[in-house]
Amino acid sequence: MTINRNDPNPPLVLVFAAADPTGGAGIQADIMTLAGMGCHALTVITALTVQDTAGVEDVLAIDADFVAEQARAVLEDMPVQAFKLGVLGSVDNIAVIAEIIADYPHIPVIVDPVVASGRGDELASDAMLETLCELILPQATVITPNTMEARRLAACRAPAHADPEAGTQSDCAAVLMEMGCEYVLITGSHAHTPQVVNTLYGSGGVIRADTWERLGGSYHGSGCTLASAVAAALAHGLDMPQAVYEAQDFTWHSLAHAFRPGMGQHIPNRFFWARPPDETGV
């Protein structure tokens, strides 16, 4: 990705997300990813979590008024090139964030719809998903669900008699775009396939499908990394297809250089580029 070295200020990306004490996921992952791709992160904490590399034990949502105050303070001071949304913490937080981003319709909105942790711990209630679908997705430039998240979100607008598990990936993408998303990037990390296939959908159908080597192990914060990398690439001025490719490439290399500091999942190394290549040249 080409970065404009003539501009003394890096692109600014405002992130709404929860804090992760491990630094593997959440707002810490967003900060490192954005820095690794030449952006500066502005951060609004939506929730505090108790978690380790194995899973999430508890979530404490920040008061919605305080979330709004955090965001308004930086938005009134600095120009923002992109919004990135992760774990939002509560229905009230989702509603207030929807109001904030509505005031800046020219700024792209990248949504990582985190439904659960890698272990399966719930991070979004049905009420939160309904509110996300009603208030946030109509404003989303791109949403980055895995296959499981795409089905669960699509079920929010599916007929009562429908089985969301029976819908194809393209069906889910179509439903999400009917909600108002401009683009949908569905990742294949949860699919039982030899390789990971990530597919970007637009109003005309599939825009691009990229195939990546499936790496062994389990990763803490891979979805946060991908969504923040998309936000960074868009903030640098890339068009959506190229931004999505650059983000996937950054994320894959972060995972390929991941480390395992604890007893649970591996943590992506978002500064892989600062280390000399190993014998494989990865």
Side-chain angles (χ1 to χ4, degrees), residues 31-263:
I31 293 169
M32 287 185 278
T33 300
L34 291 166
M37 293 190 69
C39 291
H40 178 72
L42 309 174
T43 57
V44 173
I45 307 295
T46 58
L48 304 177
T49 66
V50 177
Q51 62 180 298
D52 56 21
T53 56
V56 179
E57 301 300 331
D58 203 0
V59 178
L60 176 65
I62 302 298
D63 178 79
D65 288 340
F66 197 68
V67 168
E69 289 173 9
Q70 292 179 73
R72 296 293 187 190
V74 293
L75 284 166
E76 291 170 7
D77 181 44
M78 292 175 278
V80 171
Q81 279 73 51
F83 291 122
K84 187 269 178 178
L85 281 56
V87 170
L88 302 183
S90 69
V91 168
D92 289 344
N93 283 355
I94 295 171
V96 78
I97 291 167
E99 292 178 3
I100 291 167
I101 63 177
D103 290 339
Y104 300 86
H106 62 288
I107 298 177
V109 178
I110 297 85
V111 180
D112 177 17
V114 186
V115 172
S117 72
R119 186 175 66 182
D121 309 298
E122 286 288 315
L123 294 172
S125 66
D126 288 342
M128 289 172 63
L129 292 181
E130 286 281 356
T131 308
L132 188 79
C133 290
E134 180 181 353
L135 301 180
I136 298 291
L137 296 198
Q139 303 186 67
T141 307
V142 60
I143 181 172
T144 62
N146 59 41
T147 50
M148 179 272 292
E149 291 165 339
R151 289 193 177 100
R152 188 162 172 191
L153 287 169
C156 291
R157 291 295 179 269
H161 63 275
D163 178 7
E165 293 297 321
T168 65
Q169 180 171 292
S170 60
D171 290 337
C172 291
V175 171
L176 294 173
M177 284 185 286
E178 287 173 4
M179 294 183 199
C181 300
E182 189 174 353
Y183 297 95
V184 177
L185 173 62
I186 299 183
T187 65
S189 57
H190 285 61
H192 301 292
T193 54
Q195 295 176 304
V196 175
V197 180
N198 302 326
T199 309
L200 176 66
Y201 296 89
S203 58
V206 175
I207 294 175
R208 68 178 305 146
D210 298 293
T211 300
W212 302 87
E213 176 188 349
R214 185 176 291 280
L215 300 167
S218 177
Y219 302 91
H220 184 55
S222 57
C224 304
T225 304
L226 177 62
S228 287
V230 173
L234 291 173
H236 278 295
L238 275 62
D239 63 19
M240 186 61 69
Q242 188 62 27
V244 162
Y245 177 80
E246 294 287 351
Q248 291 176 80
D249 184 70
F250 180 92
T251 302
W252 188 89
H253 282 89
S254 295
L255 301 182
H257 289 85
F259 55 100
R260 190 171 183 245
M263 296 181 288

